[in-house]
Amino acid sequence: MTTLTTQKPGATLALRGVRLGHRGNVVLDGVDLTVEAGEVLTVVGPSGCGKSTLLRTLAGLLPPLGGTVEQDGRPLTGPDADRALVFQDDALLPWRTVRANVELPLAIGRSRRLPRAERRQVAEEWLERVGLGGHAHRLPHQLSGGQRQRVQLARALAARPRAVLMDEPFGALDAQTRAEMQDLLVDVLAGTGATVVFVTHDVDEALFLGDRVALLGTGEVVPVPHPRDRDSSPAGLRQQIINSL
Ligand SMILES: Nc1ncnc2c1ncn2[C@@H]1O[C@H](COP(=O)(O)OP(=O)(O)OP(=O)(O)O)[C@@H](O)[C@H]1O
Ligand SMILES: [Mg+2]
C-alpha cells in the first residue's frame, strides 16, 4: 500500500484582503484567512453568506474581485490538480465504472500521468480504503448516495492533492451514513498530509472534523479542542457558534 501512504506536504492557502462575489455583486469583503499546511479548517455560516463562493475562489475557479488568494505565497492562477474538489452532488461520470472514475485524475495533468497498470492499482487500493473494494466495476447509478460520496473521496485523494476543498459533501446523507463518512474522512486524511477546507451547515460536523472552525458571517476563526469526540463537543463553544450564525 505504498502508493497510499506516500505523503506530499499540504498546501498553505491564504486570502489577503479578499473581496468575493459574482460579476461585481460583492458577497464578502476584507476576508483575511490563512489555512496552514495539513490543517483541517471547517467553514460554517448562514445560507447565502458566501461559503461556496469562498471555496470556488480557493479552488481558483472564481477570481477574487479584490485582494489576493495565494498557495504557498504565490497567487493562484486558476484551477490546479494540487487542489481537489468534492461537492454535495457527486460529479462522477455516469457512463464510467467506479474504478475508471477514480483513475481519471491520475490520467490527466503533465506531472501526474501514471502508467495504466499503476493507475489501476492506485484506484483499486483507494476503493479498498474507502470500503468499496468489491464495487470497482459498478456504474455510479448502481451505488447508494453514501457509496457515491466514498467514490468521490477516493477520486479526490487518489491523485495525492496538496489541498482538498469540500462543499457540504455529506449534506444529503442520513445521520447514520453521515457519521460513518465523517469517521472515514478522518481516517483517510490521516495518512495524506493534505490541507482541508470543509464547508458545512452542521455545527457538530464542523466541530468534529475541524482543527479550527471559521464562522463566515462574523469573520471569526475558532480553535477546536482535541481530541475529537463526537459526543462531547464543548457545549459552550457549540452554543457560541450557533448564536453567531
Ligand atoms: N454564479 C452566481 N452568480 C451570481 N450570484 C451568485 C452566483 N452564485 C452565488 N451567487 C450569490 O452569492 C451569494 C453567496 O452564495 P454562496 O453560494 O456562496 O452561498 P453559501 O454560503 O454557499 O450558501 P448555501 O449555504 O445555501 O450553500 C448569494 O447571494 C448567491 O445568490
Ligand atoms: Mg453553498
Side-chain angles (χ1 to χ4, degrees):
M1 294 278 243
T2 49
T3 39
L4 299 190
T5 51
T6 314
Q7 290 208 5
K8 277 190 183 177
T12 301
L13 301 171
L15 299 133
R16 302 191 195 284
V18 164
R19 181 180 301 145
L20 300 173
H22 308 268
R23 283 181 234 105
N25 172 28
V26 176
V27 175
L28 286 166
D29 206 355
V31 182
D32 283 298
L33 181 66
T34 300
V35 195
E36 304 294 345
E39 176 180 38
V40 180
L41 180 80
T42 48
V43 179
V44 290
S47 185
C49 77
K51 301 181 295 298
S52 297
T53 304
L54 174 80
L55 216 65
R56 287 168 60 77
T57 303
L58 283 171
L61 293 168
L62 189 69
L65 301 175
T68 55
V69 185
E70 298 171 359
Q71 177 174 317
D72 301 323
R74 285 183 295 278
L76 298 190
T77 52
D80 187 309
D82 261 359
R83 298 182 299 280
L85 284 160
V86 180
F87 298 105
Q88 178 173 334
D89 300 324
D90 72 71
L92 302 174
L93 299 179
W95 62 90
R96 294 251 183 135
T97 65
V98 161
R99 188 179 68 194
N101 267 283
V102 177
E103 277 185 43
L104 206 60
L106 304 169
I108 53 177
R110 268 181 320 232
S111 59
R112 280 158 206 277
R113 201 172 289 142
L114 286 179
R116 174 174 264 247
E118 213 172 311
R119 285 205 307 262
R120 184 157 294 187
Q121 186 195 343
V122 171
E124 282 175 359
E125 286 178 7
W126 268 105
L127 286 170
E128 276 301 329
R129 185 85 191 268
V130 300
L132 291 177
H135 296 66
H137 298 289
R138 292 205 187 175
L139 292 170
H141 79 268
Q142 296 170 317
L143 300 180
S144 69
Q147 287 171 330
R148 283 199 295 273
Q149 288 310 77
R150 286 171 190 258
V151 179
Q152 285 224 100
L153 198 53
R155 182 175 63 175
L157 293 174
R160 297 197 297 139
R162 297 186 52 222
V164 187
L165 309 172
M166 309 181 85
D167 196 352
E168 308 206 40
F170 311 146
L173 305 177
D174 63 82
Q176 160 91 30
T177 309
R178 190 170 186 146
E180 285 169 14
M181 292 302 294
Q182 290 164 356
D183 287 334
L184 177 69
L185 182 62
V186 170
D187 181 39
V188 295
L189 285 175
T192 68
T195 306
V196 178
V197 182
F198 186 104
V199 166
T200 178
H201 267 100
D202 183 331
V203 175
D204 292 315
E205 182 168 76
L207 286 166
F208 178 69
L209 292 173
D211 298 318
R212 288 187 300 155
V213 180
L215 305 176
L216 209 52
T218 65
E220 278 179 88
V221 179
V222 182
V224 175
H226 275 246
R228 286 194 174 87
D229 184 347
R230 188 177 281 114
D231 298 322
S232 68
S233 63
L237 181 58
R238 186 175 182 279
Q239 199 54 48
Q240 179 195 335
I241 293 173
I242 289 170
N243 289 346
S244 68
L245 295 181

